[in-house]
PDB file of all heavy atoms in Angstrom:
ATOM      1  N   GLU A 139     121.206 124.624  92.389  1.00  0.00           N
ATOM      2  CA  GLU A 139     120.003 123.841  92.813  1.00  0.00           C
ATOM      3  C   GLU A 139     119.109 124.530  93.821  1.00  0.00           C
ATOM      4  O   GLU A 139     118.019 124.076  94.175  1.00  0.00           O
ATOM      5  CB  GLU A 139     120.327 122.438  93.214  1.00  0.00           C
ATOM      6  CG  GLU A 139     120.966 122.392  94.584  1.00  0.00           C
ATOM      7  CD  GLU A 139     122.553 122.519  94.555  1.00  0.00           C
ATOM      8  OE1 GLU A 139     123.041 122.921  93.581  1.00  0.00           O
ATOM      9  OE2 GLU A 139     123.146 122.281  95.593  1.00  0.00           O
ATOM     10  N   ILE A 140     119.598 125.666  94.389  1.00  0.00           N
ATOM     11  CA  ILE A 140     118.809 126.326  95.392  1.00  0.00           C
ATOM     12  C   ILE A 140     118.774 127.853  95.201  1.00  0.00           C
ATOM     13  O   ILE A 140     119.540 128.417  94.495  1.00  0.00           O
ATOM     14  CB  ILE A 140     119.394 126.110  96.846  1.00  0.00           C
ATOM     15  CG1 ILE A 140     120.819 126.613  96.920  1.00  0.00           C
ATOM     16  CG2 ILE A 140     119.384 124.568  97.156  1.00  0.00           C
ATOM     17  CD1 ILE A 140     121.349 126.566  98.345  1.00  0.00           C
ATOM     18  N   ASP A 141     117.812 128.497  95.854  1.00  0.00           N
ATOM     19  CA  ASP A 141     117.709 129.973  95.829  1.00  0.00           C
ATOM     20  C   ASP A 141     118.361 130.437  97.082  1.00  0.00           C
ATOM     21  O   ASP A 141     118.677 129.688  98.024  1.00  0.00           O
ATOM     22  CB  ASP A 141     116.317 130.444  95.835  1.00  0.00           C
ATOM     23  CG  ASP A 141     115.391 129.780  94.844  1.00  0.00           C
ATOM     24  OD1 ASP A 141     114.997 128.647  95.097  1.00  0.00           O
ATOM     25  OD2 ASP A 141     115.054 130.381  93.881  1.00  0.00           O
ATOM     26  N   GLU A 142     118.466 131.747  97.192  1.00  0.00           N
ATOM     27  CA  GLU A 142     119.030 132.399  98.378  1.00  0.00           C
ATOM     28  C   GLU A 142     118.157 132.104  99.573  1.00  0.00           C
ATOM     29  O   GLU A 142     118.646 131.970 100.683  1.00  0.00           O
ATOM     30  CB  GLU A 142     119.119 133.908  98.107  1.00  0.00           C
ATOM     31  CG  GLU A 142     119.694 134.655  99.319  1.00  0.00           C
ATOM     32  CD  GLU A 142     119.667 136.159  99.044  1.00  0.00           C
ATOM     33  OE1 GLU A 142     119.467 136.543  97.812  1.00  0.00           O
ATOM     34  OE2 GLU A 142     119.835 136.945  99.956  1.00  0.00           O
ATOM     35  N   LYS A 143     116.840 132.024  99.375  1.00  0.00           N
ATOM     36  CA  LYS A 143     115.856 131.834 100.552  1.00  0.00           C
ATOM     37  C   LYS A 143     115.823 130.420 100.928  1.00  0.00           C
ATOM     38  O   LYS A 143     115.176 130.142 101.932  1.00  0.00           O
ATOM     39  CB  LYS A 143     114.518 132.354 100.133  1.00  0.00           C
ATOM     40  CG  LYS A 143     114.517 133.866  99.865  1.00  0.00           C
ATOM     41  CD  LYS A 143     114.551 134.663 101.219  1.00  0.00           C
ATOM     42  CE  LYS A 143     114.378 136.187 100.955  1.00  0.00           C
ATOM     43  NZ  LYS A 143     114.486 136.936 102.220  1.00  0.00           N
ATOM     44  N   GLN A 144     116.317 129.452 100.166  1.00  0.00           N
ATOM     45  CA  GLN A 144     116.156 128.063 100.487  1.00  0.00           C
ATOM     46  C   GLN A 144     117.407 127.497 101.204  1.00  0.00           C
ATOM     47  O   GLN A 144     118.471 128.055 101.133  1.00  0.00           O
ATOM     48  CB  GLN A 144     115.920 127.228  99.203  1.00  0.00           C
ATOM     49  CG  GLN A 144     114.582 127.561  98.528  1.00  0.00           C
ATOM     50  CD  GLN A 144     114.170 126.486  97.567  1.00  0.00           C
ATOM     51  OE1 GLN A 144     114.075 125.259  97.960  1.00  0.00           O
ATOM     52  NE2 GLN A 144     113.968 126.833  96.411  1.00  0.00           N
ATOM     53  N   GLN A 145     117.148 126.403 101.949  1.00  0.00           N
ATOM     54  CA  GLN A 145     118.238 125.698 102.613  1.00  0.00           C
ATOM     55  C   GLN A 145     117.886 124.212 102.506  1.00  0.00           C
ATOM     56  O   GLN A 145     116.941 123.789 103.171  1.00  0.00           O
ATOM     57  CB  GLN A 145     118.469 126.070 103.976  1.00  0.00           C
ATOM     58  CG  GLN A 145     119.636 125.440 104.667  1.00  0.00           C
ATOM     59  CD  GLN A 145     119.981 126.117 106.082  1.00  0.00           C
ATOM     60  OE1 GLN A 145     119.340 127.083 106.501  1.00  0.00           O
ATOM     61  NE2 GLN A 145     120.937 125.493 106.747  1.00  0.00           N
ATOM     62  N   ARG A 146     118.679 123.464 101.765  1.00  0.00           N
ATOM     63  CA  ARG A 146     118.344 122.062 101.582  1.00  0.00           C
ATOM     64  C   ARG A 146     119.019 121.081 102.551  1.00  0.00           C
ATOM     65  O   ARG A 146     120.240 121.004 102.495  1.00  0.00           O
ATOM     66  CB  ARG A 146     118.692 121.688 100.121  1.00  0.00           C
ATOM     67  CG  ARG A 146     117.841 122.356  99.049  1.00  0.00           C
ATOM     68  CD  ARG A 146     118.394 122.300  97.679  1.00  0.00           C
ATOM     69  NE  ARG A 146     118.200 121.003  96.998  1.00  0.00           N
ATOM     70  CZ  ARG A 146     117.181 120.659  96.311  1.00  0.00           C
ATOM     71  NH1 ARG A 146     116.210 121.582  96.136  1.00  0.00           N
ATOM     72  NH2 ARG A 146     117.050 119.465  95.763  1.00  0.00           N
ATOM     73  N   ILE A 147     118.174 120.479 103.383  1.00  0.00           N
ATOM     74  CA  ILE A 147     118.630 119.465 104.269  1.00  0.00           C
ATOM     75  C   ILE A 147     117.954 118.156 103.928  1.00  0.00           C
ATOM     76  O   ILE A 147     118.643 117.136 103.656  1.00  0.00           O
ATOM     77  CB  ILE A 147     118.315 119.877 105.794  1.00  0.00           C
ATOM     78  CG1 ILE A 147     119.075 121.113 106.164  1.00  0.00           C
ATOM     79  CG2 ILE A 147     118.640 118.686 106.646  1.00  0.00           C
ATOM     80  CD1 ILE A 147     118.765 121.582 107.533  1.00  0.00           C
ATOM     81  N   VAL A 148     116.703 118.119 103.915  1.00  0.00           N
ATOM     82  CA  VAL A 148     115.945 116.949 103.488  1.00  0.00           C
ATOM     83  C   VAL A 148     116.222 116.592 102.015  1.00  0.00           C
ATOM     84  O   VAL A 148     116.447 115.503 101.624  1.00  0.00           O
ATOM     85  CB  VAL A 148     114.378 117.139 103.699  1.00  0.00           C
ATOM     86  CG1 VAL A 148     113.583 115.984 103.039  1.00  0.00           C
ATOM     87  CG2 VAL A 148     114.075 117.259 105.129  1.00  0.00           C
ATOM     88  N   LEU A 149     116.327 117.660 101.169  1.00  0.00           N
ATOM     89  CA  LEU A 149     116.409 117.468  99.715  1.00  0.00           C
ATOM     90  C   LEU A 149     117.872 117.650  99.289  1.00  0.00           C
ATOM     91  O   LEU A 149     118.206 117.799  98.154  1.00  0.00           O
ATOM     92  CB  LEU A 149     115.602 118.518  98.984  1.00  0.00           C
ATOM     93  CG  LEU A 149     114.085 118.513  99.258  1.00  0.00           C
ATOM     94  CD1 LEU A 149     113.386 119.625  98.535  1.00  0.00           C
ATOM     95  CD2 LEU A 149     113.495 117.161  98.904  1.00  0.00           C
ATOM     96  N   ARG A 150     118.817 117.534 100.268  1.00  0.00           N
ATOM     97  CA  ARG A 150     120.228 117.827  99.915  1.00  0.00           C
ATOM     98  C   ARG A 150     120.829 116.964  98.777  1.00  0.00           C
ATOM     99  O   ARG A 150     121.671 117.374  98.049  1.00  0.00           O
ATOM    100  CB  ARG A 150     121.094 117.657 101.195  1.00  0.00           C
ATOM    101  CG  ARG A 150     121.096 116.238 101.749  1.00  0.00           C
ATOM    102  CD  ARG A 150     121.996 116.210 103.025  1.00  0.00           C
ATOM    103  NE  ARG A 150     123.379 116.386 102.732  1.00  0.00           N
ATOM    104  CZ  ARG A 150     124.235 115.453 102.362  1.00  0.00           C
ATOM    105  NH1 ARG A 150     123.833 114.175 102.249  1.00  0.00           N
ATOM    106  NH2 ARG A 150     125.458 115.705 102.164  1.00  0.00           N
TER     107      ARG A 150
END
Side-chain angles (χ1 to χ4, degrees):
E139 72 273 11
I140 62 172
D141 314 77
E142 180 183 347
K143 295 286 184 180
Q144 293 197 58
Q145 184 170 356
R146 292 166 76 91
I147 296 175
V148 172
L149 302 178
R150 63 182 293 272

